[in-house]
């Protein structure tokens, strides 16, 4: 067998493997009501200071996310990641990010709640942690992935 044929076969396989790596992911509160609450937390409202969680967590983990994606792509290039798709890579990274966002939401993000908010929550039997009154927004954090590198389309 000729070396040229081996190189071409290897190159063709590499191109096929890398071709499966297109993908995108969205992490956040993917239902409208909780997305609105997460937006208010990120940017604040006229009566509430911002408590950014999604952006701060993403910024903090940016290097780790980049390293995880590069490691998965390198595995494919080295032949260890056969059958792995870009959508799967993005899903793995997205799940890790979603877990960290949930931890951030659950972590009592400053500033502290106003005295009036604390009093209202106590009357309703809710806790005093910021961003967690009922836990609904915390539980709403999800990951959606697509094989489309340009992202998920709004429906």
């Amino acid at each position: 067998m000729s070396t040229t044929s081996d190189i071409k076969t290897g190159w063709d396989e590499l191109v096929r493997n890398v071709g499966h790596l297109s993908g995108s992911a969205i992490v956040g509160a993917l239902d409208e009501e909780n997305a609105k609450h997460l937006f208010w937390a990120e940017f604040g409202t006229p009566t509430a200071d911002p408590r950014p969680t999604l952006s701060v967590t993403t910024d903090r983990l940016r290097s780790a996310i980049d390293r995880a994606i590069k490691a998965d792509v390198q595995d494919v290039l080295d032949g260890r990641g056969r059958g792995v798709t870009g959508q799967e890579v993005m899903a793995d990274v997205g799940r890790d990010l979603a877990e960290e966002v949930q931890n951030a939401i659950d972590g009592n993000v400053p500033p502290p709640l106003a005295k009036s908010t604390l009093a209202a929550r106590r009357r309703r039997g809710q806790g005093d942690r910021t961003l967690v009154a009922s836990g609904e927004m915390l539980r709403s954090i999800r990951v959606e992935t697509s094989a489309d590198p340009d992202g998920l389309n709004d429906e």
Side-chain angles (χ1 to χ4, degrees), residues 1-154:
M1 185 177 276
S2 80
T3 306
T4 304
S5 177
D6 291 344
I7 291 171
K8 179 166 178 16
T9 303
W11 177 255
D12 289 345
E13 183 177 350
L14 176 67
V15 169
R16 273 193 308 277
N17 288 338
V18 172
H20 293 289
L21 291 179
S22 92
S24 58
I26 295 175
V27 175
L30 301 180
D31 64 282
E32 189 171 338
E33 188 64 25
N34 284 301
K36 181 172 54 175
H37 290 229
L38 189 59
F39 176 84
W40 291 337
E42 282 290 317
F43 299 103
T45 68
T47 59
D49 290 330
R51 290 185 177 89
T53 53
L54 188 59
S55 61
V56 168
T57 303
T58 303
D59 289 348
R60 179 174 54 83
L61 296 174
R62 186 168 313 280
S63 293
I65 290 167
D66 289 345
R67 281 192 307 272
I69 292 170
K70 285 177 184 175
D72 286 345
V73 170
Q74 190 62 53
D75 283 348
V76 169
L77 294 174
D78 292 344
R80 294 187 305 265
R82 277 205 174 145
V84 173
T85 67
Q87 187 171 1
E88 291 167 335
V89 169
M90 297 309 293
D92 287 343
V93 171
R95 281 189 294 273
D96 291 345
L97 179 57
E99 183 178 335
E100 290 296 324
V101 169
Q102 288 169 326
N103 291 340
I105 290 171
D106 201 31
N108 207 25
V109 178
L113 295 172
K115 289 179 183 181
S116 59
T117 302
L118 283 170
R121 283 202 182 172
R122 286 188 184 118
R123 284 192 300 275
R124 293 189 303 256
Q126 296 172 332
D128 61 356
R129 290 179 302 158
T130 60
L131 302 180
V132 183
S134 67
E136 187 177 331
M137 185 171 66
L138 177 69
R139 290 186 302 272
S140 75
I141 302 299
R142 299 275 186 265
V143 179
E144 273 188 32
T145 63
S146 171
D148 183 353
D150 294 327
L152 297 147
N153 296 323
D154 289 336

